[in-house]
Amino acid sequence: MKFNKKMALISAAVLMGISTVSAVEIPQTNIVQAATSQSRKVYFRKNSYVYNKKGQRIYKFKGKTAYFKKGATPSFPIQTTDEKTHYYFNTRDGKVYLQTTKIKGKQYANVGNGGYINLSNIGAISNSLLLTDQNVRVRVNRDTRVLNSKGQAGDTVVKKGTIITADGHGAIPGGDWIDDGVPQEYYHIVGTDHYLEDDNGTLLSQVQNGNTFDKLFTPQAMPKNAEVGSANNGTSYYDVNGQDMFPGFKSFHYQTFTIGGAYYLWNAKDNKAELFYYVGSGANQINLTTDGGNIGKDSKRTPTGALFVKASDVNLTQGVAPEPANTAAEAEAGHSAATSSEKSSLTDAIANAEKVQASAKYKSAASSVKKDYDQAVAQTKQISASTSSTGNAVNFAIWQLNHIEQSMQVEKIKVAYPNFLSPYDRTKILTAARQQYDDNSHDVMWANHDRDLILYTFKEKASNKYDQGGTVTKLNLNDYMEANTPNIKNKKGYDSSATQASINKDKKLAKYAQMLDYDKRKSSLVAKRTTPVYQSSTKIGEGASFNVNKIRLYQTGRSIKKGNNIGIFATLIVKIKGQYYFMVQEKNTYFVKASDVKLDNFSTSTTYKKYQRMVDKLTGPDHPMDFSLYAKVKKGARYYQTDFYYGVTNKTFNVQKNRYVSFIDPYVMKYNGIYYLTGGAEFNSDFDPEGAVKVSDIISMTSKLPR
């Protein structure tokens, strides 16, 4: 449905020559000194009548019927103004403000000859969407989970029928894409960090808001007039002294530059200061070409310092140009050799940088940020050691260190209940951790029934990192999240293990909560006796929506047999009317009395040790990722299908004729009293159920399938 809606919108825009997304080349701050009245094409998005200045419908307009059908594009001598109003449309020269008239509480456009058109009926003027800078009202069409400015879904749900006030409309970083590079658009809800997908809302205001979210995007640029095959359409790279770093070479014509800042440098060739964009800290190989477009003449170079491009040589393709970090006068004053005072400041900056490298914020920063900072520190030391360093080089080195350090300020993810993470909490935490270790040496994943966040570090100098194995480290969740628990007072006899405060004050709750953190590969929660299953007649809720006081339990007709697993995703202990329950969140959330549950440490059994030893012998002391094992099984053995809750189902298949069954990331588990060989968890971040075979059917195991 989204696709069709957007495609219809785009098709209409193409037919009319309208841009649905603000074009970068339109300078949004300019004001066109438009004439008071000028003939302009008007696009009607609704069937429309013409009215007089009293708001009365007229029947003849310019000698014709005063009625226009949806989609009509007549031209009128429509009134605009040199002064800023709340309604405008964009042209390549800037904004054109519309002169409007308020009639009976609604805004109208003066189309000449005594005629007025309701703004609600106008979609575009001069092939450009009609917009407003005022807040707009939007009615929510369905229960919708809102996003933050990074495109991450949270726990906040806006209910169907809610009317929100929005002060912006456009694409956001991390938001969805419809198709063919068309971004999904969102409304920003006033006074919040919440964004609502516009497909889930109906605009109630007369005109769409035109305030976009360009400032949320990291600025990017490309060489001007980049055309495939055209000569010299790339741009030169410059060093901190404004000198061409690679004479005779340019970037590719289609090179995209991520802009880290704007800085004035001294151009000795032209004897003037110019504005440059800082686009890299150097030390990484870059691709160069002799003609800006011929890949066959491609050359690689490794810069020995910060990289810059002239602001006048590129066009912004995303985001907003940053404010210059210095002035042209400062660049002119700093083009000569650095003074002893400037060098002294550099010494202090290096000392501070070394403290930063030992700090917690540096260790928790994204690996790409740490790499950039390390390069900047090394380059700063080179500038300090050189006797020919300019004042500009010194000043920029200090700015660069401070600039990168600021990007290390990682805000912790606020979660409603640290002991009861919602799926959205876990997604955000996983994203933050993977950004910290965004290199080819690590992988981060949830493990142990989503209770632990683990860092998998690949073995160094491995010819194949997956086969060679690596080390597993449990990460501290508190490094990524902090509690933002709702202020809810529990009723008498109601509580849960969602907060540490509740665990600390209730010894019985603490005892059961400790059982939740069992090692899935060595233990399981099982029924001590045949025990009934309960469900809640009310919604449980996630994140901030969870409220233990609202749980209403009733006994179902189902039960769990003695010795059988109660379910691997037992996520919480709840206390309802003084009785304690394990809450299991699988396909349908259900509850089991905690007094009927025990922890089965099956790894101490002889059967487990025998078969897990066979697995360990093949995998070795390291933890191979995507390690394949082949189990030879008895004739007539069955292969059991497993599900996404690590359960063994009743659906079975015949084992292939050669009687070998393969598993990825294999291990032994006990399910409903029976030992199985299975796989596909912990060391496989893209988990798919691997199936299982009874260990009693296994003859032998091997890491290579015999021919």
Side-chain angles (χ1 to χ4, degrees):
M1 183 176 70
K2 280 187 198 175
F3 176 83
N4 292 337
K5 173 184 171 182
K6 287 293 178 182
M7 288 300 102
L9 172 63
I10 295 162
S11 298
V14 170
L15 288 172
M16 296 164 48
I18 299 169
S19 172
T20 59
V21 182
S22 297
V24 174
E25 63 267 26
I26 297 175
Q28 299 294 312
T29 55
N30 291 350
I31 299 176
V32 174
Q33 299 299 313
T36 303
S37 181
Q38 180 179 331
S39 181
R40 297 180 185 274
K41 185 188 293 185
V42 174
Y43 168 74
F44 285 93
R45 65 189 182 97
K46 296 179 181 178
N47 295 337
S48 181
Y49 294 106
V50 183
Y51 300 84
N52 61 23
K53 63 181 179 181
K54 295 182 179 180
Q56 299 168 331
R57 177 184 166 188
I58 60 178
Y59 295 89
K60 288 291 182 181
F61 181 67
K62 297 176 67 173
K64 297 182 180 180
T65 302
Y67 173 75
F68 299 94
K69 290 185 177 181
K70 176 182 177 181
T73 56
S75 294
F76 299 113
I78 198 163
Q79 287 192 358
T80 58
T81 175
D82 293 343
E83 296 184 6
K84 182 177 179 180
T85 69
H86 291 301
Y87 301 93
Y88 64 92
F89 51 94
N90 288 311
T91 71
R92 290 190 176 276
D93 297 319
K95 290 181 179 179
V96 175
Y97 289 99
L98 187 66
Q99 181 68 61
T100 61
T101 302
K102 195 171 186 178
I103 304 173
K104 295 182 178 180
K106 296 182 179 180
Q107 296 293 342
Y108 286 74
N110 187 335
V111 293
N113 298 96
Y116 295 83
I117 300 292
N118 190 326
L119 290 192
S120 295
N121 301 331
I122 298 175
I125 299 174
S126 296
N127 292 345
S128 180
L129 296 177
L130 179 61
L131 301 167
T132 181
D133 62 359
Q134 292 183 311
N135 294 347
V136 295
R137 296 167 69 248
V138 178
R139 183 176 58 242
V140 180
N141 296 334
R142 59 183 65 86
D143 289 0
T144 304
R145 194 177 298 275
V146 295
L147 310 181
N148 64 16
S149 59
K150 297 178 181 178
Q152 299 167 331
D155 295 308
T156 302
V157 175
V158 181
K159 296 292 185 180
K160 177 182 178 180
T162 302
I163 295 176
I164 65 165
T165 301
D167 58 1
H169 178 254
I172 60 174
D176 290 335
W177 290 77
I178 305 302
D179 193 31
D180 295 332
V182 179
Q184 173 65 54
E185 295 186 321
Y186 298 82
Y187 289 107
H188 174 251
I189 302 176
V190 172
T192 70
D193 184 34
H194 294 159
Y195 292 78
L196 173 77
E197 195 172 320
D198 71 352
D199 282 351
N200 293 327
T202 299
L203 180 68
L204 300 180
S205 298
Q206 281 187 281
V207 180
Q208 181 63 272
N209 185 283
N211 301 329
T212 57
F213 311 121
D214 295 338
K215 290 183 178 180
L216 296 178
F217 291 85
T218 301
Q220 291 184 347
M222 289 183 69
K224 283 186 175 179
N225 302 317
E227 295 177 5
V228 176
S230 299
N232 300 318
N233 276 328
T235 183
S236 298
Y237 289 98
Y238 297 84
D239 63 19
V240 71
N241 294 313
Q243 296 179 348
D244 190 338
M245 192 174 284
F246 307 107
F249 290 92
K250 291 181 179 291
S251 71
F252 286 134
H253 57 272
Y254 53 78
Q255 180 70 49
T256 297
F257 304 106
T258 298
I259 298 172
Y263 211 86
Y264 280 100
L265 300 177
W266 182 252
N267 184 337
K269 182 179 179 181
D270 297 330
N271 200 35
K272 65 177 183 179
E274 284 191 70
L275 184 63
F276 287 74
Y277 290 139
Y278 161 55
V279 296
S281 58
N284 292 317
Q285 279 195 334
I286 57 174
N287 294 320
L288 298 170
T289 179
T290 54
D291 65 1
N294 190 334
I295 298 177
K297 297 180 181 179
D298 179 25
S299 175
K300 292 184 180 293
R301 294 289 189 279
T302 302
T304 56
L307 287 169
F308 298 85
V309 295
K310 285 185 180 181
S312 59
D313 286 349
V314 297
N315 280 327
L316 282 177
T317 57
Q318 175 179 289
V320 177
E323 291 293 326
N326 65 342
T327 65
E330 288 171 336
E332 181 176 5
H335 76 278
S336 54
T339 65
S340 57
S341 175
E342 289 171 328
K343 281 291 188 75
S344 176
S345 299
L346 201 60
T347 302
D348 294 338
I350 292 171
N352 178 70
E354 290 174 342
K355 291 180 181 178
V356 170
Q357 287 174 313
S359 69
K361 68 179 179 181
Y362 170 87
K363 294 175 182 177
S364 63
S367 61
S368 58
V369 174
K370 288 187 283 191
K371 183 178 180 181
D372 284 346
Y373 194 73
D374 292 343
Q375 290 176 358
V377 172
Q379 291 162 10
T380 302
K381 290 178 178 179
Q382 291 174 359
I383 292 170
S384 178
S386 174
T387 58
S388 60
S389 297
T390 64
N392 283 335
V394 170
N395 294 334
F396 176 77
I398 295 172
W399 174 86
Q400 184 184 30
L401 289 174
N402 291 332
H403 182 70
I404 300 175
E405 182 183 353
Q406 288 174 3
S407 67
M408 296 179 191
Q409 304 295 339
V410 180
E411 185 177 353
K412 288 189 177 182
I413 297 160
K414 291 181 172 57
V415 299
Y417 299 103
N419 294 340
F420 181 44
L421 300 177
S422 72
Y424 301 97
D425 292 332
R426 290 197 298 271
T427 298
K428 288 182 284 187
I429 291 169
L430 181 63
T431 299
R434 283 183 169 171
Q435 287 176 345
Q436 181 183 350
Y437 298 99
D438 58 346
D439 54 37
N440 292 325
S441 300
H442 302 92
D443 194 8
V444 182
M445 63 197 84
W446 285 102
N448 202 24
H449 49 103
D450 290 352
R451 302 287 293 184
D452 297 329
L453 190 67
I454 64 169
L455 172 68
Y456 188 98
T457 304
F458 297 110
K459 196 173 181 180
E460 293 184 5
K461 298 180 181 179
S463 57
N464 186 322
K465 65 183 180 183
Y466 296 101
D467 290 341
Q468 297 298 322
T471 57
V472 175
T473 306
K474 182 178 176 181
L475 297 176
N476 186 351
L477 288 174
N478 291 324
D479 289 342
Y480 304 99
M481 67 179 188
E482 62 183 10
N484 186 27
T485 305
N487 186 18
I488 299 173
K489 185 177 181 180
N490 289 336
K491 296 189 299 184
K492 184 177 180 180
Y494 286 74
D495 210 338
S496 77
S497 60
T499 63
Q500 194 60 41
S502 292
I503 294 174
N504 293 342
K505 72 180 182 182
D506 188 330
K507 291 183 179 179
K508 206 168 186 180
L509 186 69
K511 181 189 77 170
Y512 292 131
Q514 191 173 14
M515 292 170 64
L516 292 171
D517 291 318
Y518 66 91
D519 186 337
K520 178 179 73 68
R521 290 189 170 222
K522 297 181 179 180
S523 307
S524 60
L525 295 172
V526 301
K528 291 194 291 188
R529 59 186 67 87
T530 298
T531 182
V533 172
Y534 298 82
Q535 285 190 307
S536 176
S537 59
T538 57
K539 289 185 177 180
I540 304 302
E542 295 176 351
S545 300
F546 171 74
N547 185 343
V548 72
N549 299 315
K550 294 182 178 180
I551 297 177
R552 300 289 182 268
L553 296 184
Y554 67 92
Q555 187 172 333
T556 68
R558 296 184 296 115
S559 61
I560 299 173
K561 291 182 180 180
K562 179 181 179 180
N564 281 6
N565 296 56
I566 69 162
I568 196 166
F569 287 102
T571 56
L572 196 65
I573 304 298
V574 295
K575 183 180 180 182
I576 309 295
K577 296 182 178 180
Q579 176 69 55
Y580 299 87
Y581 299 84
F582 280 94
M583 187 169 86
V584 185
Q585 290 186 286
E586 298 196 347
K587 186 175 182 179
N588 295 304
T589 299
Y590 58 91
F591 301 78
V592 179
K593 283 186 179 179
S595 58
D596 290 341
V597 177
K598 69 175 182 179
L599 184 62
D600 179 15
N601 295 309
F602 58 78
S603 64
T604 60
S605 71
T606 304
T607 302
Y608 172 87
K609 290 178 180 178
K610 174 184 175 181
Y611 290 96
Q612 186 61 46
R613 192 181 301 119
M614 294 169 67
V615 173
D616 294 340
K617 185 177 180 181
L618 294 172
T619 60
D622 292 322
H623 301 269
M625 180 178 280
D626 293 346
F627 178 87
S628 294
L629 177 150
Y630 301 90
K632 184 177 182 180
V633 297
K634 298 174 183 177
K635 185 177 181 180
R638 305 294 290 176
Y639 175 84
Y640 292 81
Q641 184 173 318
T642 53
D643 59 27
F644 282 96
Y645 305 106
Y646 305 94
V648 179
T649 70
N650 293 324
K651 190 172 183 179
T652 63
F653 303 92
N654 290 323
V655 177
Q656 53 191 324
K657 290 181 180 180
N658 60 14
R659 295 184 292 164
Y660 279 94
V661 180
S662 65
F663 296 99
I664 298 176
D665 300 333
Y667 64 99
V668 175
M669 71 168 181
K670 185 181 180 183
Y671 185 78
N672 289 350
I674 300 172
Y675 289 91
Y676 295 89
L677 178 65
T678 186
E682 256 77 25
F683 309 128
N684 188 336
S685 54
D686 297 321
F687 170 67
D688 285 317
E690 286 287 318
V693 293
K694 293 180 180 179
V695 297
S696 58
D697 287 333
I698 294 175
I699 299 172
S700 62
M701 300 181 196
T702 179
S703 60
K704 293 183 179 179
L705 187 63
R707 293 184 179 274

